[in-house]
Amino acid sequence: METSLPTPWQQALDKLRDWARINSPWAIHYNSGSCNGCDIEILATLTPRYDIERFGIKLQGSPRHADVLICTGPVTRQSRDRLLRIYEQMPDPKFVVAVGSCGISGGAFRGCYNIVGDISAVIPVNVYIPGCPPRPEAIIYGVVQLLETLKKPVA
Amino acid sequence: MNNLTVPPLIAFLFFPGGLFLMFGGMAYEWIDRKLVARFQNRIGPRWFQPLADVVKLLSKEEIIPQGVDRILFYLLPVLALSAALASALYVPIAGFAPAYSFKGDLVVTLYMLSVLTLCLGLAGANTPNRFALIGATRTLTQLFSYEAPFLLALLGPAIVAGTWTIGEINFYTQLHPWQMILTQPLGFVVALVGLMGKLELPPFDAPEAETEIVAGALTEYSGRGLALFRIGKNVELLIGLTLVSAFYLGGVGNPLLFVVKTVGLLFVMAVLQSLFARLRIDQTVGLWWRIGALLALLNLLVVALFRALA
Ligand code: SF4
């Protein structure tokens, strides 16, 4: 590891990279065991009415193309491996957004025999969006919060 | 009404080679996305969206999946982009005379434009992912269906102009601006729709149908490779629009005419994109061979007859 200060050239490049990252978050959506309520709200978020292409957000089919994993629901024992695999398949840098109270704590399913736990029990989560289910506005707000954190330099 | 010329080095690096084409291609991608968004009653992406997408992809990690041929995996995006860029040298981009031209460069250009699709197919076949494999098969199937009608459609003006050099055809159409579109409307339609098939735009996006096969041939590509393929596609969009407007819409004589004609074509393409739903791959092939190829052949026959009689 080099410890020298970044050159102006490097700083400019870093700025450019951060700008691009903030303005083009491509998302992938995974349901790790939710009741589908949250997923329907996410799909509503993608409709022309809310038009998240304004922010450059695009739903991608392939984890390899995605930057943001939008994850709903508690993690069931069956979907744990799939969730992990999807997370591993995403190229760095990657971020996780947990949608719904189930993703935060297990919600209505907390303590069920078939539940591993909330999403942070399996993969690191960057942003939580509460609600059962959260409204599309809340989901957009959460993703924007995630993008705001990218603007600040990580110490 | 002659075209302007540019010195070779500038032609190679900035205009109409590398930089201009990449940024121009992104601008056209934005216009396309914005128009489609407006047709769907959305606001649509911001003007720098394609640039942000590409920069982000370039700065991302590139994962090389297990079981691929590493050299091919690295090489194919580069090859695709460079073929697309190279074909621009023979095309009157932005109304300037082609940087290079020789007898029969029309055929070479068309083949160079197909290299991108070929690379896409190979890239899909190279990865062991089953979605990528299906995507690759569909890409190549589609290549075989639209390529012949598209070529036939572009041959019509070439035969009328009596030359197979793109620059000279462009010059000829500038002298007779209304002749091509009025005498060969069939060819124009086939060429325009063929361009949409070439670029895998809806309704011909079965090869990358995200609702069925994830992302088609590019499923396993991340970061750099994906970015290069995207730029290549944008460049091809720009070149294809230039070709069609040079051949059918009375040529591209200066930058203003170029912008007006290509954006007009893009508008029509955006309307078609939002109007039609995706065709199945067998429907695509059927459409091209049952209707497209026949129309293009008919067009060619009429042109040849007139030429023989005149
Ligand atoms: S938070 Fe509510 S809507 Fe979302 S998965 Fe849990 S129970 Fe369903």
Side-chain angles (χ1 to χ4, degrees):
Chain A
M1 278 292 282
E2 283 194 36
T3 47
S4 60
L5 281 172
T7 60
W9 175 237
Q10 270 175 345
Q11 280 174 344
L13 276 185
D14 280 353
K15 271 227 180 75
L16 179 70
R17 202 189 52 199
D18 284 345
W19 167 81
R21 218 165 262 166
I22 289 166
N23 283 302
S24 152
W26 289 358
I28 181 171
H29 166 205
Y30 181 64
N31 170 352
S32 64
S34 95
C35 75
N36 255 330
C38 287
D39 304 284
I40 287 172
E41 291 304 314
I42 288 178
L43 296 187
T45 317
L46 297 169
T47 52
R49 185 182 172 88
Y50 295 100
D51 185 28
I52 49 175
E53 205 184 1
R54 284 179 295 158
F55 309 116
I57 305 175
K58 221 167 104 186
L59 192 72
Q60 288 290 336
S62 164
R64 294 260 195 252
H65 301 181
D67 311 292
V68 181
L69 174 61
I70 298 180
C71 202
T72 60
V75 184
T76 61
R77 284 183 201 282
Q78 278 213 332
S79 71
R80 184 180 164 273
D81 293 344
R82 274 80 171 177
L83 181 59
L84 267 177
R85 198 199 293 173
I86 288 180
Y87 185 71
E88 294 298 335
Q89 277 173 344
M90 287 167 60
D92 277 325
K94 51 192 168 188
F95 310 98
V96 178
V97 176
V99 174
S101 21
C102 292
I104 296 176
S105 64
F109 303 102
R110 190 184 175 92
C112 278
Y113 65 94
N114 56 349
I115 299 292
V116 181
D118 50 308
I119 291 167
S120 65
V122 183
I123 53 177
V125 178
N126 297 80
V127 172
Y128 293 97
I129 301 173
C132 179
R135 286 187 61 89
E137 288 93 338
I139 297 176
I140 296 175
Y141 179 73
V143 176
V144 171
Q145 288 298 306
L146 170 72
L147 301 179
E148 288 292 322
T149 61
L150 293 184
K151 279 185 191 160
K152 292 176 200 117
V154 185
Chain B
M1 280 236 268
N2 205 346
N3 290 87
L4 311 161
T5 46
V6 271
L9 191 68
I10 295 180
F12 186 63
L13 285 180
F14 299 107
F15 183 91
L19 278 181
F20 172 79
L21 270 181
M22 292 188 199
F23 284 101
M26 284 182 210
Y28 275 74
E29 187 204 336
W30 174 74
I31 297 177
D32 182 47
R33 277 168 71 175
K34 183 82 180 173
L35 283 174
V36 171
R38 290 309 296 154
F39 290 137
Q40 294 174 345
N41 225 345
R42 294 187 283 134
I43 293 180
R46 295 158 297 179
W47 63 270
F48 52 77
Q49 196 56 58
L51 182 67
D53 287 349
V54 164
V55 173
K56 178 208 72 179
L57 283 177
L58 284 176
S59 68
K60 257 177 106 77
E61 176 192 8
E62 184 171 33
I63 298 175
I64 300 174
Q66 266 177 8
V68 301
D69 186 320
R70 298 176 66 96
I71 300 174
L72 265 185
F73 193 83
Y74 273 122
L75 208 63
L76 282 172
V78 180
L79 204 64
L81 179 59
S82 44
L85 287 177
S87 60
L89 293 178
Y90 304 104
V91 176
I93 294 284
F96 292 88
Y100 298 96
S101 71
F102 55 89
K103 264 202 170 63
D105 57 6
L106 171 60
V107 179
V108 174
T109 308
L110 285 178
Y111 275 101
M112 240 143 33
L113 283 179
S114 315
V115 169
L116 178 88
T117 321
L118 215 60
C119 286
L120 211 64
L122 276 180
N126 184 24
T127 45
N129 187 311
R130 68 198 96 164
F131 298 117
L133 270 180
I134 298 175
T137 339
R138 288 190 183 178
T139 306
L140 294 177
T141 315
Q142 189 155 314
L143 175 78
F144 287 122
S145 58
Y146 65 72
E147 199 63 43
F150 186 66
L151 184 66
L152 288 177
L154 287 187
L155 280 191
I159 289 176
V160 173
T163 166
W164 282 30
T165 312
I166 296 176
E168 284 174 28
I169 299 172
N170 184 30
F171 190 61
Y172 180 88
T173 49
Q174 283 176 55
L175 292 179
H176 315 271
W178 293 104
Q179 186 186 3
M180 295 301 171
I181 185 78
L182 290 182
T183 53
Q184 305 184 29
L186 285 182
F188 173 64
V189 170
V190 174
L192 189 63
V193 183
L195 185 61
M196 292 179 70
K198 221 174 170 49
L199 297 163
E200 297 182 354
L201 297 172
F204 302 111
D205 58 345
E208 47 186 68
E210 56 188 22
T211 38
E212 310 159 24
I213 50 170
V214 184
L218 292 181
T219 302
E220 287 287 356
Y221 272 84
S222 57
R224 184 200 58 111
L226 188 59
L228 291 188
F229 270 121
R230 278 179 73 96
I231 302 176
K233 264 222 174 115
N234 291 345
V235 169
E236 201 173 300
L237 172 69
L238 189 59
I239 296 174
L241 286 174
T242 316
L243 268 183
V244 176
S245 38
F247 278 40
Y248 279 103
L249 294 184
V252 282
N254 55 46
L256 186 69
L257 273 179
F258 168 81
V259 170
V260 170
K261 283 172 182 167
T262 46
V263 173
L265 273 184
L266 194 59
F267 185 83
V268 177
M269 272 169 51
V271 172
L272 291 178
Q273 271 179 60
S274 33
L275 219 53
F276 291 107
R278 181 187 303 141
L279 294 173
R280 279 198 324 262
I281 187 70
D282 58 318
Q283 288 170 330
T284 311
V285 177
L287 177 75
W288 280 117
W289 282 111
R290 289 203 200 98
I291 303 173
L294 284 187
L295 284 184
L297 269 180
L298 192 70
N299 181 43
L300 210 61
L301 220 89
V302 173
V303 169
L305 264 180
F306 264 94
R307 221 179 133 70
L309 296 180

